[in-house]
Amino acid sequence: MRSATPFYTLALLFILLISQSCGNDVNNDDGNGSEGTASANVNRNSTVGNAVYGRLEFPRLKGGNNNIVIVHNASFGVNYCVEWDTNLRPEGWKPEGSETLRSQRWSCYQMHPGNSSRATDRKPRNTGGDFSEYPNDPELPQQYHFTADPYWNSGYDHGHIFPSADRAYSYNSKANIQTFYLTNMQPQVGNFNVGVWSNMEKQVRAWNNNNFRDTLYIVKGGTIDKNDQIIRFLGSGVNKIPVPKYFFMALLCKNKEANNGGYKALGFWVQHQSNSTSDLTPYVVSIRELEQKTGIDFFCNLPDNIENAVETLSRDKIISAWGLK
């Protein structure tokens, strides 16, 4: 696994994770969001490369030489992180010659009182041509930058994975501008992007209130690792990207009054097609089921006993616990 951030050695290779409320998330710029217990945690990320990998929103890193973790920081600390595959090879896909396929696998982030201002506008639209509105990510090594935007004139929207509205700071603030980087995009059908996906994003923001959560830990993305979970491809050469057949959200809520150490979790799994429904209950799945569908190990930095409890809750109990009925 390579990182777009500097490597450094930690004094302790194994850290007993300490329980933390949203207040700790706000006050600690490293924003670990780590949960402490004496129980085992055999599948957690190594934090030798970067302590950020131990944050609770992080899935298990895929690893390998082609995968880069991009960390974006803002005034309050870590804004969001992306796992970017620079040479994607989906299972069952047969490349033509030496063509390069690249994509983001997921974006992950936290929501709590310290990063949830709603007083400002979305970054204004630009009309200056390629990359003016959706630029290359400055934290991505330049050799992996796009030379042309594969989304333009493709019929697909630049679908934000980490939504602009989840960082509603002033448009000239890093927190909002960073959400427009191409590494935070996936191709989405227009009526999906502004329909069911937008409704899911609005529901997440509705949960982002002091009566519901101390902290929300969120992972979102589209399916890119299996050829039968990809609709088609856009662009060509070094600008070729997949169009996911499914999109997902994995949510972990920390609330001191909840069961299972104060945590509860929910997954959304939705097929990528024109869909404007506001009823989200058909798309609710357990985290364990979402892991089986995506091949991603979510919330791996939770102690194993808590991770197992929150990830295996029945669908009916999840719907009830998150107030979707």
Side-chain angles (χ1 to χ4, degrees):
M1 168 64 64
R2 292 177 297 164
S3 174
T5 59
F7 284 86
Y8 58 92
T9 303
L10 298 180
L12 296 176
L13 295 181
F14 298 96
I15 301 172
L16 289 177
L17 301 174
I18 58 170
S19 179
Q20 149 172 354
S21 69
C22 66
N24 289 333
D25 288 325
V26 174
N27 294 328
N28 292 334
D29 282 346
D30 60 7
N32 260 339
S34 305
E35 172 61 20
T37 183
S39 85
N41 190 354
V42 299
N43 63 328
R44 68 183 176 184
N45 287 322
S46 170
T47 54
V48 173
N50 194 325
V52 169
Y53 303 162
R55 290 165 64 96
L56 289 187
E57 67 269 28
F58 262 74
R60 178 80 174 178
L61 299 178
K62 188 174 180 65
N65 292 331
N66 297 329
N67 292 283
I68 293 176
V69 177
I70 303 170
V71 180
H72 289 294
N73 292 288
S75 59
F76 49 80
V78 176
N79 188 18
Y80 75 103
C81 302
V82 173
E83 186 173 60
W84 182 261
D85 197 321
T86 65
N87 192 23
L88 177 66
R89 290 294 183 264
E91 180 183 323
W93 179 63
K94 296 181 179 180
E96 297 180 5
S98 59
E99 66 181 349
T100 300
L101 186 63
R102 57 188 62 181
S103 178
Q104 77 123 251
R105 182 163 285 106
W106 43 256
S107 294
C108 70
Y109 59 102
Q110 298 180 10
M111 295 187 77
H112 52 67
N115 61 20
S116 299
S117 167
R118 298 177 184 227
T120 57
D121 296 328
R122 171 188 170 107
K123 169 182 171 286
R125 294 188 180 277
N126 296 323
T127 57
D130 284 357
F131 306 132
S132 62
E133 185 168 358
Y134 302 99
N136 273 303
D137 190 330
E139 296 298 326
L140 183 68
Q142 191 168 4
Q143 64 264 36
Y144 302 119
H145 281 194
F146 290 99
T147 60
D149 188 337
Y151 292 79
W152 289 113
N153 299 317
S154 69
Y156 289 89
D157 289 356
H158 291 78
H160 281 72
I161 300 303
F162 173 36
S164 166
D166 284 6
R167 290 292 188 262
Y169 288 84
S170 174
Y171 69 81
N172 61 0
S173 166
K174 282 185 177 181
N176 189 274
I177 288 177
Q178 287 172 351
T179 70
F180 286 82
Y181 295 150
L182 280 170
T183 51
N184 185 46
M185 302 293 150
Q186 287 281 16
Q188 291 185 342
V189 173
N191 286 339
F192 178 91
N193 183 22
V194 301
V196 64
W197 187 252
S198 176
N199 291 334
M200 288 179 175
E201 292 175 333
K202 290 173 184 176
Q203 179 59 69
V204 172
R205 286 191 289 275
W207 284 322
N208 183 38
N209 69 79
N210 293 337
N211 294 324
F212 187 83
R213 60 91 185 99
D214 296 338
T215 302
L216 289 175
Y217 305 94
I218 303 164
V219 192
K220 299 177 181 177
T223 54
I224 64 168
D225 288 313
K226 295 181 180 180
N227 196 49
D228 62 3
Q229 291 186 339
I230 293 171
I231 296 174
R232 55 169 295 198
F233 302 94
L234 305 181
S236 62
V238 297
N239 303 310
K240 193 167 186 177
I241 60 174
V243 179
K245 188 175 181 179
Y246 301 94
F247 281 89
F248 62 84
M249 299 186 184
L251 310 175
L252 178 69
C253 176
K254 173 66 184 296
N255 185 313
K256 57 183 176 295
E257 296 180 359
N259 296 323
N260 301 318
Y263 293 96
K264 58 186 174 184
L266 170 146
F268 283 130
W269 171 261
V270 57
Q271 186 170 351
H272 182 200
Q273 58 188 0
S274 182
N275 183 347
S276 59
T277 185
S278 59
D279 180 8
L280 304 181
T281 55
Y283 310 109
V284 172
V285 296
S286 70
I287 298 299
R288 187 60 46 83
E289 182 177 353
L290 195 62
E291 290 176 336
Q292 292 168 351
K293 290 178 179 295
T294 62
I296 299 173
D297 183 0
F298 298 103
F299 309 125
C300 65
N301 293 319
L302 279 173
D304 290 344
N305 61 333
I306 296 178
E307 181 183 3
N308 183 66
V310 301
E311 291 187 355
T312 58
L313 204 63
S314 72
R315 184 174 176 278
D316 288 344
K317 289 183 178 179
I318 294 170
I319 291 172
S320 176
W322 288 76
L324 285 177
K325 279 189 173 179

